[in-house]
Amino acid sequence: MNRLIAALSCWLMLGAAAVNGFYLPGLAPVNYCAKEVATAVASGSNKNNCKSEIKLFVNRLDSVESIIPYEYNKFDFCTSETIQTPVENLGQVVFGERIQSSPYQIEFLKAEKCKTLCTKEYKIGDAKSATSLAFIKKGILMNYQHHWIIDNMPVTWCYDVEGNQKYCSPGFPMGCFVTKDGKAKDACVTSSDFSKADTYYVFNHVNIVIGYHPSTGQEWASPSGKSGRLISAKLEPKSIKHTKEGPEGCNAGTAPMAIDSKFSKNEKIKYTYSVSFTETNIKWSSRWDYILESMPHTNIQWFSIMNSLVIVLFLSGMVAMILLRTLHKDIARYNQMDNAEDAQEEFGWKLVHGDVFRPPRKGMMLSVLLGSGVQILCMTFITLGFACFGFLSPNNRGALMTCVIVLYVCLGTPAGYISARVYKMFGGEKWKSNVILTAFFCPGLVFVDFFIMNLILWAKSSSAAIPFGTLVALLALWFGVSVPLTFVGAYFGFKRRQVEHPVRTNQIPRQIPDQSFYTKPLPGILMGGVLPFGCIFIQLFFILNSIWSHQMYYMFGFLFLVFIILIITCSEATILLCYFHLCAEDYHWWWRSFLTSGFTAFYLFVYCIHYFVAKLEIEGAASTFLYFGYTLIMVFCFFLLTGTIGFFACFWFVSKIYSVVKVD
């Protein structure tokens, strides 16, 4: 027990270390310097390796009120003449990130004040103007958020919240809307000027403040001191109706840029921006801290998470202790029966020794589900291991999804091997059907659901829609890598000798006596998922927030701890209920062990429904359908994961107890 606590403490410290700094191995900082220094570098008169241009990239726009994101160019914003798209990895494409260059021109240490970006005009009677302006109004109404990137960091919008704290959001709204009743959206509370009812206010000006750490003593430092590394990029969105040209056009006294809900007059929106630089002592390796520390509900949850971990560990220890003490007495009592009269008085789980390893019904399907479950289990364990060491930090966009997809594809061999071994243990002979179902059944269900969701996103022209080429690439990974590896694993699985059980199986099945209520299958399955779900629901809240509320998730150390405790809890809950059923002379434990721990997924689905109703503000039939479609994929994978854990824990337990009992 002490070793277990020590190991958990080590992982906890790794999680804490991952929170304090995100220095991803292989990700080098970029050195910036003033334009005259960079020019000297280019001419060869200076050896400093730095650049003066700070590129601002724009990403997709999303909303907490809709699951359908859109590309930046979908809205009628200012665009660059030459659109440059950085190379995106597979995870970014699957997540729907669409990063593009922007027309904003920023040079290191060069301040700008009210610089004009472009002007958009909308004329009455022009169908294109009406469509473009209506789409902007829709984005404002549904609180769509900009996501900008500078030096691989999100440009944040920091504002005051309750408790005299400051929250830095990685996105900022397009604008705000005041309803006919005079009620304003959250973005409108930043200014008292947004007071006109039934009016849209466009945020057409941004004040960008870039923090940098000056270079002193490094080889790349500029002799003039005009060089450094970017630490932060913050902005303040404003709505300004420009009546003057030049820097005076963005003064605080100007009226906001208001658009009436009815397109009754020509509109002109002028987009401007200001840039300033501030020096800071924060080091480059710690530049993500101010974003992560300001995330809501993070600081107040540490004690709650630790409390849940302690409770779950205590309950797991108690269950294991009671089970081991009871089993020890049973085994000692059974082994003391030496004569025939004692043998006739056998009772409890020893009575079903001739039927406990009888192959279950639908053994083919059970083996297929177990193979896919092992694939997901290995993928989850390795992914969380990489995440704990910082390889999947927010610095590396799309790395998490890329890692998940690549690992799942490459772990087809364990899936085929386990499925074949289990199916052969059940006495199955249709090995071709087994390997084909293992390769296509569970991945096929997920792909069909995913494809239907993608059709909806295609119809909505959303940036989250997977391009056709990427879809073909995913199919190529499935058919070209995962399927052959599954066949290889199945080949080695069928080549191995059949698993030998510790006791023989009788030819005639034993009749199962009438069961009490709590030993019947359904009540046991319902009870089996409660305790495992109890150890994950706190982390589940953060995970759902990161998926649907667009918040960053970075507590991978604690998530790995919760995953280990989930494995322990699923195993012990399933073993305990299996022991009760065997004592009641019910030997149908194969499917029941899988469903008992797998039923945790049902509670996960119920919690997702509660989260949708109580926490989210999603509107529209398409967004609702997308939410539950993606939720079904997550619940199905979780069902395979927990069910596989419970099955193999129970199989080990049953094999162990019957191997130490004397059976004639």
Side-chain angles (χ1 to χ4, degrees):
M1 190 67 181
N2 293 333
R3 292 183 179 179
L4 176 61
I5 295 174
L8 293 176
S9 301
C10 291
W11 280 110
L12 185 60
M13 288 187 289
L14 284 173
V19 171
N20 291 330
F22 280 102
Y23 185 83
L24 183 66
L27 188 63
V30 180
N31 306 319
Y32 291 92
C33 54
K35 187 173 182 179
E36 61 270 17
V37 179
T39 304
V41 172
S43 62
S45 60
N46 196 316
K47 296 182 180 180
N48 298 320
N49 184 17
C50 60
K51 53 184 178 180
S52 62
E53 182 185 5
I54 300 176
K55 293 184 178 180
L56 190 153
F57 293 96
V58 293
N59 203 344
R60 64 176 183 176
L61 285 84
D62 53 33
S63 170
V64 295
E65 299 180 16
S66 175
I67 298 180
I68 304 173
Y70 293 102
E71 291 186 27
Y72 181 85
N73 292 342
K74 185 71 175 177
F75 296 91
D76 192 26
F77 297 136
C78 302
T79 56
S80 177
E81 295 181 358
T82 56
I83 298 178
Q84 298 178 354
T85 303
V87 177
E88 296 178 340
N89 56 41
L90 182 60
Q92 288 178 291
V93 177
V94 172
F95 267 137
E97 292 193 14
R98 300 294 183 266
I99 302 175
Q100 299 175 352
S101 59
S102 72
Y104 293 86
Q105 297 178 356
I106 304 175
E107 290 184 9
F108 185 69
L109 295 182
K110 182 181 179 181
E112 301 283 359
K113 187 174 182 181
C114 201
K115 186 175 182 179
T116 301
L117 196 64
C118 72
T119 301
K120 297 290 184 178
E121 296 185 10
Y122 305 95
K123 298 180 180 180
I124 298 176
D126 184 10
K128 184 178 179 181
S129 295
T131 302
S132 300
L133 192 60
F135 199 65
I136 290 178
K137 290 179 181 179
K138 176 186 175 182
I140 295 174
L141 180 64
M142 301 194 70
N143 196 25
Y144 271 83
Q145 305 272 320
H146 286 277
H147 293 279
W148 292 359
I149 301 168
I150 287 181
D151 193 35
N152 202 35
M153 280 197 67
V155 180
T156 57
W157 175 39
C158 299
Y159 53 91
D160 295 328
V161 294
E162 296 179 359
N164 296 325
Q165 295 182 349
K166 188 174 287 291
Y167 171 58
C168 293
S169 170
F172 66 96
M174 293 174 51
C176 65
F177 174 66
V178 180
T179 64
K180 295 181 179 179
D181 301 333
K183 296 181 180 180
K185 291 269 188 175
D186 294 339
C188 294
V189 300
T190 57
S191 175
S192 58
D193 297 333
F194 307 140
S195 56
K196 187 177 179 181
D198 199 19
T199 303
Y200 296 85
Y201 294 94
V202 180
F203 288 154
N204 59 333
H205 176 81
V206 289
N207 292 327
I208 304 174
V209 181
I210 299 176
Y212 71 97
H213 183 78
S215 57
T216 55
Q218 289 90 348
E219 295 180 358
W220 52 272
S222 167
S224 61
K226 296 181 179 180
S227 59
R229 292 173 178 172
L230 303 190
I231 303 301
S232 64
K234 303 178 183 179
L235 62 74
E236 180 185 2
K238 289 187 175 183
S239 179
I240 299 175
K241 187 174 180 61
H242 297 88
T243 56
K244 298 180 181 180
E245 297 294 332
E248 300 298 327
C250 298
N251 289 335
T254 57
M257 184 65 223
I259 300 177
D260 193 71
S261 60
K262 298 179 181 179
F263 190 18
S264 57
K265 62 178 181 177
N266 294 337
E267 298 287 355
K268 181 186 292 186
I269 303 177
K270 183 178 180 181
Y271 291 91
T272 57
Y273 67 100
S274 300
V275 182
S276 61
F277 290 84
T278 59
E279 186 176 321
T280 178
N281 293 326
I282 300 174
K283 294 183 179 180
W284 184 86
S285 59
S286 302
R287 63 180 188 162
W288 280 85
D289 290 357
Y290 85 97
I291 302 175
L292 302 179
E293 290 174 357
S294 66
M295 285 292 163
H297 307 296
T298 53
N299 294 329
I300 62 175
Q301 290 296 334
W302 297 117
F303 175 77
S304 179
I305 293 174
M306 288 300 301
N307 188 46
S308 297
L309 294 176
V310 172
I311 291 174
V312 171
L313 283 174
F314 175 76
L315 290 176
S316 301
M318 291 296 295
V319 169
M321 187 180 299
I322 293 172
L323 198 58
L324 290 175
R325 288 174 62 91
T326 307
L327 268 176
H328 181 73
K329 292 181 180 179
D330 287 346
I331 294 171
R333 184 165 58 250
Y334 291 152
N335 289 337
Q336 287 175 357
M337 298 178 183
D338 296 330
N339 53 45
E341 293 183 2
D342 292 335
Q344 293 178 358
E345 296 176 1
E346 288 181 354
F347 62 93
W349 51 268
K350 188 179 180 182
L351 280 174
V352 295
H353 66 83
D355 299 274
V356 71
F357 290 107
R358 187 178 302 279
R361 297 178 180 178
K362 307 294 182 181
M364 170 80 78
M365 182 55 62
L366 180 57
S367 63
V368 169
L369 296 179
L370 289 171
S372 297
V374 167
Q375 190 175 9
I376 295 174
L377 176 62
C378 297
M379 175 200 72
T380 306
F381 187 85
I382 298 174
T383 301
L384 290 178
F386 280 123
C388 284
F389 289 103
F391 288 96
L392 307 180
S393 69
N395 239 347
N396 199 2
R397 288 181 177 83
L400 181 63
M401 180 56 69
T402 303
C403 181
V404 167
I405 294 174
V406 171
L407 284 176
Y408 183 83
V409 168
C410 294
L411 290 171
T413 302
Y417 180 81
I418 294 297
S419 178
R421 289 283 285 163
V422 173
Y423 183 63
K424 189 174 182 180
M425 180 180 66
F426 292 158
E429 298 178 353
K430 299 179 180 179
W431 62 271
K432 294 181 181 178
S433 300
N434 174 261
V435 66
I436 291 174
L437 285 174
T438 304
F440 293 103
F441 180 71
C442 291
L445 289 178
V446 173
F447 182 80
V448 168
D449 190 336
F450 180 77
F451 184 73
I452 293 173
M453 301 300 105
N454 206 51
L455 288 177
I456 297 174
L457 294 171
W458 269 339
K460 295 291 184 178
S461 301
S462 172
S463 66
I466 306 299
F468 181 76
T470 306
L471 202 61
V472 173
L474 291 174
L475 288 173
L477 287 174
W478 180 15
F479 288 98
V481 180
S482 181
V483 171
L485 289 177
T486 304
F487 276 71
V488 170
Y491 171 78
F492 286 105
F494 280 111
K495 290 287 287 184
R496 290 287 302 274
R497 293 180 57 186
Q498 186 173 347
V499 177
E500 295 183 0
H501 300 305
V503 291
R504 294 191 301 270
T505 302
N506 297 334
Q507 293 183 354
I508 302 176
R510 179 185 177 86
Q511 185 176 0
I512 300 174
D514 294 335
Q515 301 291 307
S516 58
F517 175 77
Y518 67 90
T519 57
K520 289 182 178 179
L522 186 58
I525 293 173
L526 289 171
M527 291 186 295
V530 174
L531 188 59
F533 177 76
C535 74
I536 66 166
F537 77 95
I538 293 179
Q539 287 294 322
L540 184 62
F541 174 78
F542 291 105
I543 294 173
L544 293 179
N545 272 349
S546 68
I547 296 174
W548 305 117
S549 297
H550 313 296
Q551 296 180 8
M552 292 184 182
Y553 186 89
Y554 61 95
M555 296 181 292
F556 293 109
F558 283 111
L559 184 60
F560 191 88
L561 276 175
V562 172
F563 178 66
I564 296 299
I565 292 176
L566 174 67
I567 294 176
I568 296 172
T569 312
C570 284
S571 302
E572 291 183 343
T574 309
I575 288 172
L576 184 63
L577 291 172
C578 179
Y579 173 73
F580 290 154
H581 293 137
L582 291 178
C583 289
E585 302 178 24
D586 186 353
Y587 52 84
H588 294 308
W589 62 274
W590 299 99
W591 271 106
R592 191 176 300 168
S593 63
F594 184 87
L595 296 175
T596 297
S597 56
F599 202 75
T600 310
F602 172 79
Y603 296 104
L604 170 62
F605 184 69
V606 172
Y607 185 84
C608 290
I609 296 175
H610 164 73
Y611 183 85
F612 177 83
V613 174
K615 303 295 181 182
L616 296 182
E617 301 176 357
I618 291 177
E619 299 177 0
S623 293
T624 302
F625 189 81
L626 287 169
Y627 174 85
F628 285 102
Y630 288 126
T631 298
L632 284 177
I633 294 178
M634 181 173 63
V635 169
F636 179 66
C637 293
F638 192 74
F639 169 72
L640 296 176
L641 171 68
T642 52
T644 301
I645 294 170
F647 175 87
F648 283 107
C650 202
F651 177 71
W652 171 84
F653 168 75
V654 173
S655 300
K656 193 70 174 177
I657 63 174
Y658 282 98
S659 64
V660 297
V661 173
K662 297 178 182 178
V663 177
D664 295 332

